[in-house]
Amino acid sequence: MKWMRDMLKWVMLTLMALSGSGAFAQASMIAKDYVLGPGDTIRITVYQNPDLTLETRVNEGGTITYPLLGSVKLSGLSLIDGEKAIANGLKEGNFLKQPQVSLLLLTPAANQVSVLGMVNKPGRYPIIASSNKLSEVMAAAGGIITGSGSDIVVVSGTRDGQPFRKEIDFTKVFASSGSEPDFELRNGDTIWVDRAPQIYMYGEVQRPGAQVLLRGTTVLQALASAGGLTLRGTQRGIKVHRRDEATGEVTVIEPGMNDVLKPNDIIYVKESLF
């Protein structure tokens, strides 16, 4: 009978895809160990019993009202366990001998995180027990926009009833040293990816203007990214205008070519006098 159940699910999903249902894209991403909770919208089907098909929402008490069974508690159950609970109810009530129940999550609401900012596909994403890591949700969101998004990912939410905020250097999650653990997300967390930091170059360079500040960028590398000096430019006397984040005061320094630049530095390359 398992092959019949699998065939039914395949047909349902295929029909949803052909009809352009927005639920298909989301439902197909949900693993069966997703834990149901209040607000989740589900579709219940019973093989060869179309009158028992029901599309409903898990209420604030964590229950649904199902034909023949009345109130059924689904909150805290995985999709698989929810199928078993309904099937057992139909069997124990002598309504069906061997009920084949399929439970499809249409709109997850109980276990979601929000991904915002400089990612390819911002939005709300479901989390499940076996897939609640930051890297997995970021992958579902298409990752950080190359060349525009910051490496620093900010996760905010609540922990133990208290506001929570953590900055994570996403590149270090995958570093060989493993210096940053893959963070475990919880329901209601928000992930924010800011714009990548920038520096600004003007004066005697080939391509003046803003450029993304990559990690560890030196003055020499920034000059190279700007196309190098013009025929009138000189490396001597380069000035960097740097604003103090705490006080807002701007200082002017003369860096060495191998000095590392900081976000929002303004680099001026002057004209050679000779």
Side-chain angles (χ1 to χ4, degrees):
M1 296 296 292
K2 183 178 182 299
W3 69 271
M4 290 185 180
R5 180 181 176 186
D6 293 340
M7 178 65 73
L8 177 63
K9 290 182 180 179
W10 181 85
V11 171
M12 287 174 58
L13 292 176
T14 301
L15 290 174
M16 290 170 63
L18 292 175
S19 65
S21 170
F24 171 74
Q26 203 166 32
S28 62
M29 295 172 60
I30 308 299
K32 281 293 184 179
D33 59 352
Y34 177 90
V35 178
L36 292 164
D40 287 337
T41 302
I42 57 176
R43 177 182 293 140
I44 305 167
T45 56
V46 181
Y47 180 63
Q48 291 187 336
N49 289 271
D51 55 321
L52 292 178
T53 296
L54 178 68
E55 197 168 300
T56 187
R57 176 180 176 274
V58 181
N59 64 29
E60 295 304 316
T63 65
I64 64 167
T65 300
Y66 191 69
L68 304 178
L69 301 182
S71 180
V72 179
K73 186 172 180 59
L74 293 181
S75 183
L77 299 181
S78 66
L79 294 176
I80 291 177
D81 290 338
E83 292 173 344
K84 291 178 180 177
I86 295 171
N88 289 338
L90 293 172
K91 184 176 182 180
E92 293 170 2
N94 294 319
F95 300 113
L96 295 173
K97 289 184 178 180
Q98 295 294 332
Q100 300 294 316
V101 179
S102 175
L103 200 159
L104 183 69
L105 180 65
L106 298 179
T107 307
N111 297 279
Q112 288 187 308
V113 296
S114 298
V115 186
L116 306 172
M118 303 303 292
V119 294
N120 286 291
K121 294 184 291 184
R124 292 178 64 81
Y125 290 87
I127 56 172
I128 56 180
S130 62
S131 181
N132 65 345
K133 298 296 182 65
L134 175 63
S135 63
E136 293 164 333
V137 173
M138 289 293 291
I144 298 171
I145 298 176
T146 304
S148 298
S150 171
D151 292 336
I152 304 300
V153 175
V154 180
V155 179
S156 59
T158 58
R159 296 292 186 274
D160 300 321
Q162 300 297 319
F164 170 85
R165 185 180 187 277
K166 182 177 177 63
E167 293 187 0
I168 299 167
D169 188 337
F170 200 56
T171 59
K172 292 183 178 179
V173 173
F174 304 101
S176 57
S177 60
S179 55
E180 189 79 57
D182 199 354
F183 188 73
E184 291 189 4
L185 299 168
R186 294 186 185 178
N187 178 41
D189 281 351
T190 298
I191 301 165
W192 169 255
V193 179
D194 205 346
R195 287 188 176 275
Q198 292 185 316
I199 55 174
Y200 307 88
M201 301 199 68
Y202 72 107
E204 297 300 326
V205 291
Q206 299 288 345
R207 294 191 296 271
Q211 61 176 263
V212 172
L213 177 63
L214 300 178
R215 190 185 308 272
T217 297
T218 64
V219 174
L220 182 60
Q221 290 170 329
L223 285 173
S225 295
L229 303 175
T230 65
L231 293 176
R232 295 179 298 179
T234 176
Q235 292 184 4
R236 289 179 293 181
I238 290 177
K239 298 288 194 302
V240 171
H241 299 249
R242 180 170 295 165
R243 182 183 299 274
D244 186 277
E245 293 183 1
T247 64
E249 182 180 349
V250 176
T251 58
V252 180
I253 60 176
E254 293 191 15
M257 296 303 292
N258 292 317
D259 284 359
V260 175
L261 294 168
K262 294 185 177 182
N264 298 315
D265 277 353
I266 301 174
I267 302 98
Y268 171 64
V269 179
K270 68 179 184 179
E271 182 179 356
S272 174
L273 298 178
F274 304 99

